[in-house]
Amino acid sequence: MNIENQQRNPVLLIHGIDDTEAVFHKMRPYLIQRGWSVYSLNLVPNNGDMGLDELAKQVADYVTATFAPEQRLDLIGFSMGGIVSRYYVQRLGGISRVQRFLTISSPHYGTVVAYASRRLSCLQMRPDSIFLKDLNSDAVILGQLDFTSIWTPYDLMIVPANSSQMPIGSQVIVPVTLHPWMLTDSRSLAVVTAALAKPIKLPLLKEKSSQ
């Protein structure tokens, strides 16, 4: 059996606030053309009215309904979608399903832009919010999978831009000038492809417990 094909998981794309799955109009065919099976869903509502934890339940439900229980997958979250995806991974059992996890311009430590709205998910994405502090308190769990944060220092939606950095996994800077271009710039697409093509991180074998 071809090991490379075994490691090419289906890819699930999670969009950001005020977006739909259509925001991946370039990334999705780009990945499909290169041999990946690509899936996405529309988070409802997408305007910030619903909390990120509740939106993450939609991701969990979609995974359960779409993939076989033994199927591992790779997860890509853009902007708010990266935080929704993190909640799924860290709180809703996604850690046992996801092998490669990429966030693209996600406000891991909040964005001051979120002060412009009092919608629930925006409150949760403010710097030093209780929600983000709690999620970051055990972010070390992301070290159990292949985690990559992709971001740009010129982002005007994620302020400060280095809020997209994480002390875990790999960091890749793509110096594009606009937030949405992170999904369409050829450099971003190349970085995403490279991250998805990395050999999976195999769990340590518990030899002593099995003897």
Side-chain angles (χ1 to χ4, degrees), residues 78-79 104-105 152 155-158 177-183:
F78 170 61
S79 195
I104 303 175
S105 291
T152 172
D155 205 320
L156 296 180
M157 289 296 294
I158 310 302
T177 54
L178 291 177
H179 187 69
W181 288 2
M182 290 295 288
L183 296 181

Side-chain angles (χ1 to χ4, degrees), residues 124-143:
Q124 292 174 326
M125 287 190 290
R126 291 179 178 180
D128 296 320
S129 72
I130 294 174
F131 179 88
L132 287 179
K133 283 184 176 180
D134 176 69
L135 198 61
N136 288 327
S137 68
D138 62 351
V140 66
I141 193 175
L142 298 176

Side-chain angles (χ1 to χ4, degrees), residues 81-192:
I83 308 303
V84 171
S85 298
R86 274 189 61 195
Y87 194 91
Y88 162 65
V89 169
Q90 294 178 229
R91 298 286 186 269
L92 301 179
I95 192 71
S96 66
R97 301 295 305 265
V98 175
Q99 289 190 318
R100 301 178 187 86
F101 178 26
L102 287 64
T103 60
I104 303 175
S105 291
S106 294
H108 296 296
Y109 292 91
T111 172
V112 299
V113 175
Y115 283 105
S117 172
R118 292 196 58 81
R119 296 178 186 273
L120 181 53
S121 67
C122 292
L123 295 177
Q124 292 174 326
M125 287 190 290
R126 291 179 178 180
D128 296 320
S129 72
I130 294 174
F131 179 88
L132 287 179
K133 283 184 176 180
D134 176 69
L135 198 61
N136 288 327
S137 68
D138 62 351
V140 66
I141 193 175
L142 298 176
Q144 297 179 28
L145 40 74
D146 287 290
F147 174 68
T148 304
S149 174
I150 305 168
W151 62 286
T152 172
Y154 307 118
D155 205 320
L156 296 180
M157 289 296 294
I158 310 302
V159 182
N162 63 5
S163 176
S164 292
Q165 282 186 300
M166 287 287 284
I168 297 163
S170 303
Q171 313 292 323
V172 183
I173 293 176
V174 182
V176 303
T177 54
L178 291 177
H179 187 69
W181 288 2
M182 290 295 288
L183 296 181
T184 59
D185 190 278
S186 60
R187 293 166 294 180
S188 293
L189 297 176
V191 168
V192 167

